[in-house]
Amino acid sequence: MQQRLVTHDSYWLKHTQTSAVSAIRPRFASLSGTHRSDVAIVGGGITGLSTALELLERGYSVAVYDALIISAGTTSASTGHADAHPETGASGLIKKLGIEASRQYVELRKQAIDLIEQRATPSCDFVRVPAFQYSEDQADEHEMRQEFESAVTIGLDAHFEGDLTSNVEHMRVGFRLIDMARLN
């Protein structure tokens, strides 16, 4: 019986030149002994590697540790969509952090997207695309408008659209977030 090395089946790993199983095999022996660096980063996905690169550019020595191989975990299961909209929703973020801290949070996320764009090579297929926050039920229009207003309040470039069905059939009401991104 072949040992599984990941907990999910990544779309991205399935579509590599090699099979998904061989694509995720560790390529180096497990570490032993003592290792020294200014910073140790656990996790070699896009967040860990972006952090490592930023710290290296600032003059720190960095070691990245990953359980399997670089980008075979959470990053490999992502859609490759980078957006500045908070996962909790704009109104949820405001409730948690307040308006000013929420604006700072969104600004940092927008700067991160800009930095990824600057560092992306053509093979990354980086492209600016809109993101959508929407409901499949037209009856949710009031809540969607409130969320839209919160998104604008914290600095997102958003445009409310009463009917989003021209974008995707099941999208009824919501708003478009401008200048987000997608990459492979």
Side-chain angles (χ1 to χ4, degrees), residues 108-180:
L108 288 171
R109 289 179 67 127
K110 290 181 348 185
Q111 288 174 16
I113 294 169
D114 292 343
L115 189 58
I116 291 168
E117 181 177 29
Q118 291 169 15
R119 290 179 171 160
T121 63
S123 65
C124 293
D125 190 28
F126 183 98
V127 62
R128 292 290 182 151
V129 297
F132 296 90
Q133 174 111 16
Y134 66 91
S135 174
E136 295 178 354
D137 188 346
Q138 195 70 35
D140 293 334
E141 183 170 351
H142 179 73
E143 290 84 4
M144 284 285 102
R145 283 192 184 276
Q146 288 179 320
E147 185 60 24
F148 161 74
E149 290 169 10
S150 293
V152 171
T153 297
I154 63 174
L156 290 164
D157 185 1
H159 301 277
F160 193 84
E161 300 184 30
D163 181 12
L164 291 167
T165 55
S166 63
N167 295 294
V168 176
E169 184 180 328
H170 63 272
M171 296 166 76
R172 296 290 177 247
V173 61
F175 55 95
R176 177 187 306 257
L177 297 158
I178 308 303
D179 217 19
M180 300 298 110

Side-chain angles (χ1 to χ4, degrees), residues 47-67:
T47 302
L49 293 177
S50 295
T51 302
L53 184 56
E54 183 70 24
L55 290 168
L56 283 168
E57 289 176 351
R58 292 179 185 206
Y60 294 92
S61 64
V62 178
V64 177
Y65 300 92
D66 197 284

